[in-house]
Amino acid sequence: MDRTEAVAREDLVTFLGAATTETGQDGFYAAAGGVELDFLHEYVLVNYRELYAATLAASINDRNAGLVVANLLTQPGDPIARRSEGALIAARLRRMPPQRVWKLFEGLCRAGRGNRRLRAIAQEWLDGRDPAFDAVKYRRAMRVVVRHLHLRVPADVADVLTGRWRRAGWSAGGGAGGGVGAGGPAGAHPSGSVLLETWRRAHFEDRAVFDLPFTVAEGLAARRGIRRAELLRRAHLTSHERLRLTTSAGRLGVAVAGDLAAVPLRRLTTYVLSLDLAERERRRAELTQALRAAARRAVARTDAAGSWGRVAAVLDDSYSSSGSTPARRAPLIAAVGAAFVLEVMAAQFRSAWTSGRRDALLATPHGSTDLAGPILDALDWAPDLLVIVSDGVDTDPPGAAGEVLRVWSERIDDGSTAVLHLNPVFDPDRYGVRTLTPAVPTLGLRDPADLPLLRSLAGVAQGRMTRAELAEWLLGHAT
């Protein structure tokens, strides 16, 4: 591979590591890397636009995917490539949480952007959604975007966005004249959408509040003086909301426990680690079964469960895995989730934690970071794959893990054991993620469900793909 290809590969691996792990939040060792991240985006966009667009199909997080979309839509590029870029953008927008998409479009509109391409992509995305639901839940952002980009929406949705429904005098009785809000023009009528009609009635009737999406109902309930305990008992909660509200609802004497069977792995791991150790021990069978099932669902599309042979994992649960105030336990969440995914992918699995514990379910941030000892033990087992999940700050003793891996790769490695370092923490000083040693490929990890994809991507870090092959590989993972 010539020098140009090598530089492109290194640049893209650096960008993917940053775009996977940088969330705009402070970390344990460093502040958020806003300026550094902006530079990386601009650099990769200008020099490798095709690859930059293709990263939308990879495992970069939603914050960075939004930046990629915004840059592609506002920076002129090759007209011939617009069709493929548009397909990648549309596919990624469908995968992103709707509140992020509305925030993305709103930011572009407030910045004065409004080209034909942006308008077409925003309209296509909106046409795939329920506009009545979005008008109720994301009304402020939707109003800005629809008005600025002149998007098509149903008439009743437009009435809600513009406030015309109030000026028309809709009342508690369902129309103009009489009751609250009387005095509107003749012929004013309630929305044809069941949800919009429910939302209209909720301004006048307490019972209608309980039929709204919970996040919308919260504001109206507070305005109408409805007690939170009553709202939690009667509201329609999603499985994610039930999981998130379990503890706070319990303090109010309301049971809202959700079904763990449908929760994605990272979200489920976050919930499990939020429980105290006594609760985790008491619910050991339930939580372990749920985590294993979530891991199996996460890798089901790879059709490769049990195909990785002997797998060893060295997992960092030192004190730095507690993360930061805005990103609590983020590194530990990645490590625990990875342990369950690797267990599914392996024919034989062995794990070791830096704290010395053996039980992933009871993981908690503690102590210094001793990676060297567990790495030596893992290599002695002669696995087919060794995965190290750590922020790369080896403190006990400093630098020992990197030296162990360097000596092993230079003097002992016979090619039978592949080693991969996955780092869940962005390091702004390095414009990416911290490595243990250049001898071992290092990639960013945020969602443990991306582990099969990251193992394939390790081939990129080791230089086994050209730039064209890399673009083709990334595009092949578009969903």
Side-chain angles (χ1 to χ4, degrees):
M1 184 180 295
D2 63 30
R3 181 58 183 165
T4 301
E5 291 287 352
V7 170
R9 167 179 57 82
E10 292 169 6
D11 288 344
L12 189 78
V13 169
T14 297
F15 176 73
L16 285 173
T20 300
T21 57
E22 208 288 329
T23 60
Q25 300 169 322
D26 292 345
F28 185 89
Y29 289 107
V35 174
E36 295 82 358
L37 193 66
D38 290 343
F39 166 76
L40 274 175
H41 275 270
E42 183 177 359
Y43 175 81
V44 178
L45 170 65
V46 171
N47 290 283
Y48 316 107
R49 185 174 178 119
E50 181 186 10
L51 290 175
Y52 185 69
T55 61
L56 290 173
S59 57
I60 63 174
N61 60 42
D62 289 331
R63 164 179 155 78
N64 283 281
L67 291 173
V68 172
V69 170
N71 287 333
L72 292 174
L73 290 177
T74 56
Q75 300 296 323
D78 183 359
I80 299 176
R82 285 190 176 186
R83 183 181 296 274
S84 60
E85 284 186 6
L88 284 166
I89 290 170
R92 187 62 197 230
L93 291 179
R94 288 193 296 269
R95 291 161 51 196
M96 289 172 64
Q99 65 270 22
R100 281 195 176 272
V101 180
W102 281 119
K103 184 178 180 180
L104 165 66
F105 288 150
E106 182 186 16
L108 292 173
C109 292
R110 292 192 183 279
R113 306 291 187 174
N115 59 53
R116 184 171 61 181
R117 188 181 184 207
L118 170 59
R119 186 177 300 114
I121 285 176
Q123 185 69 65
E124 179 186 0
W125 179 79
L126 179 57
D127 289 344
R129 294 193 53 76
D130 178 358
F133 178 87
D134 284 10
V136 168
K137 192 162 185 178
Y138 311 111
R139 188 166 66 260
R140 183 180 303 174
M142 188 176 180
R143 181 190 301 124
V144 172
V145 175
V146 168
R147 178 181 297 168
H148 183 82
L149 296 179
H150 306 287
L151 302 183
R152 300 184 307 274
V153 294
D156 52 1
V157 171
D159 286 346
V160 170
L161 295 178
T162 60
R164 192 179 300 125
W165 72 278
R166 287 185 180 278
R167 296 193 295 272
W170 291 354
S171 68
V180 178
H189 57 81
S191 166
S193 162
V194 173
L195 178 60
L196 291 184
E197 169 62 10
T198 302
W199 177 77
R200 181 198 65 78
R201 286 192 296 107
H203 287 76
F204 313 109
E205 304 174 10
D206 286 356
R207 61 184 179 182
V209 172
F210 306 116
D211 293 325
L212 290 171
F214 178 73
T215 51
V216 178
E218 276 186 304
L220 285 171
R223 192 183 311 171
R224 296 190 61 77
I226 298 173
R227 292 188 304 170
R228 186 167 180 79
E230 183 181 4
L231 177 65
L232 290 169
R233 274 193 294 268
R234 299 177 59 182
H236 299 290
L237 301 173
T238 65
S239 58
H240 172 50
E241 287 167 343
R242 288 182 179 277
L243 207 61
R244 176 172 60 84
L245 295 166
T246 298
T247 302
S248 61
R251 287 196 291 264
L252 295 173
V254 181
V256 297
D259 181 8
L260 302 183
V263 182
L265 178 60
R266 189 175 190 280
R267 189 173 291 167
L268 179 60
T269 307
T270 303
Y271 166 71
V272 170
L273 293 182
S274 72
L275 304 175
D276 60 41
L277 293 178
E279 178 75 0
R280 286 185 240 172
E281 186 66 67
R282 185 179 67 81
R283 300 171 59 187
R284 171 180 291 278
E286 173 199 2
L287 297 176
T288 301
Q289 181 180 358
L291 285 165
R292 285 176 174 160
R296 286 193 294 269
R297 290 196 305 273
V299 302
R301 58 190 174 92
T302 67
D303 194 28
S307 66
W308 286 7
R310 290 159 59 92
V311 177
V314 173
L315 306 160
D316 186 352
D317 60 344
S318 63
Y319 186 68
S320 63
S321 68
S322 59
S324 60
T325 300
R328 293 187 63 194
R329 306 186 193 90
L332 187 62
I333 290 166
V336 172
F340 282 93
V341 170
L342 291 170
E343 183 183 32
V344 170
M345 300 302 291
Q348 299 178 57
F349 179 65
R350 178 178 292 185
S351 64
W353 296 83
T354 56
S355 66
R357 68 169 51 87
R358 296 281 180 181
D359 192 344
L361 187 69
L362 301 181
T364 187
H366 176 74
S368 57
T369 309
D370 173 16
L371 291 171
I375 288 174
L376 283 170
D377 292 340
L379 290 173
D380 188 55
W381 187 53
D384 299 303
L385 173 65
L386 167 60
V387 177
I388 304 163
V389 182
S390 169
D391 58 17
V393 182
D394 187 20
T395 62
D396 188 18
E403 188 64 12
V404 165
L405 291 170
R406 183 191 66 80
V407 172
W408 172 81
S409 64
E410 292 178 357
R411 303 184 183 182
I412 303 173
D413 181 21
D414 59 1
S416 61
T417 298
V419 181
L420 177 61
H421 174 207
L422 300 177
N423 193 328
V425 179
F426 176 73
D427 185 348
D429 293 335
R430 289 169 172 77
Y431 289 86
V433 292
R434 184 190 297 263
T435 62
L436 291 170
T437 172
V440 171
T442 300
L443 300 171
L445 171 69
R446 184 171 183 272
D447 189 341
D450 294 327
L451 252 168
L453 180 66
L454 291 173
R455 191 191 179 190
S456 298
L457 194 57
V460 179
Q462 294 172 317
R464 297 200 296 264
M465 289 185 187
T466 65
R467 190 191 312 186
E469 290 169 340
L470 174 57
E472 183 179 354
W473 182 86
L474 286 171
L475 293 172
H477 286 79
T479 56

